């Protein structure tokens, strides 16, 4: 009986004690949304995890892959309130802060372009490497 009570107490402690960036040293952000506010919020939270000490990896798929284009659509480059930052602008700051940003392996062929269309510092993902990141210990995953 004591083991059941102890297990229940440990479970309750886990529920009431939220995880911090120190608990998770690796952050993977998967961004697929075409919606600029959702894209920007994904970048905001990714930047916050970097500031909290986590290493960060961003995977852009589908419509969100357009953030990686040198000739990105206006929705990716238009400043948004309250800080006047665009999704692409903050993504570039995330790269400068040391994050790795890649587009899904199938993004470029289906867009009809190659890596020369991408912003400097962004490349095409390799599925085995992405899978390894997703399965790595101490990895948290955000998806937008």
């Amino acid at each position: 009986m004591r083991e059941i009570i102890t297990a229940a107490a440990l479970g309750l402690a886990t529920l009431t004690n939220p995880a911090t960036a120190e608990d998770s040293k690796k952050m993977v952000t998967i961004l697929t949304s075409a919606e600029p506010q959702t894209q920007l919020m994904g970048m905001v939270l990714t930047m916050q995890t970097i500031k909290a000490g986590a290493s960060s990896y961003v995977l852009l798929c589908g419509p969100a892959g357009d953030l990686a284009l040198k000739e990105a659509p206006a929705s990716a480059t238009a400043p948004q309130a309250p800080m006047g930052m665009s999704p692409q602008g903050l993504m570039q700051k995330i790269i400068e802060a040391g994050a790795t940003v890649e587009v899904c392996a199938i993004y470029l062929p289906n867009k009809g372009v190659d890596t020369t269309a991408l912003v400097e510092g962004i490349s095409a993902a390799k599925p085995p490497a992405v899978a390894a990141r997703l399965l790595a210990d101490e990895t948290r995953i955000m998806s937008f």
Side-chain angles (χ1 to χ4, degrees), residues 52-86:
S55 65
S56 186
Y57 172 79
V58 178
L59 182 64
L60 304 171
C61 297
D66 292 352
L67 293 177
L69 297 174
K70 290 176 187 172
E71 295 184 29
S75 62
T77 60
Q80 295 186 37
M83 303 300 290
M85 183 65 67
S86 71

Side-chain angles (χ1 to χ4, degrees), residues 10 19 40 50 62 87 98 103 120:
L10 286 173
L40 184 57
I50 292 169
V103 294
E120 185 176 336

Side-chain angles (χ1 to χ4, degrees), residues 18-69:
T20 62
E22 291 80 36
D23 297 330
S24 177
K25 299 296 182 198
K26 300 173 192 135
M27 177 57 67
V28 172
T29 303
I30 301 171
L31 187 57
T32 62
S33 177
E35 212 289 314
Q37 287 183 8
T38 303
Q39 292 174 346
L40 184 57
M41 196 64 215
M43 294 301 154
V44 166
L45 292 176
T46 299
M47 181 60 91
Q48 291 304 307
T49 65
I50 292 169
K51 288 181 178 180
S55 65
S56 186
Y57 172 79
V58 178
L59 182 64
L60 304 171
C61 297
D66 292 352
L67 293 177
L69 297 174

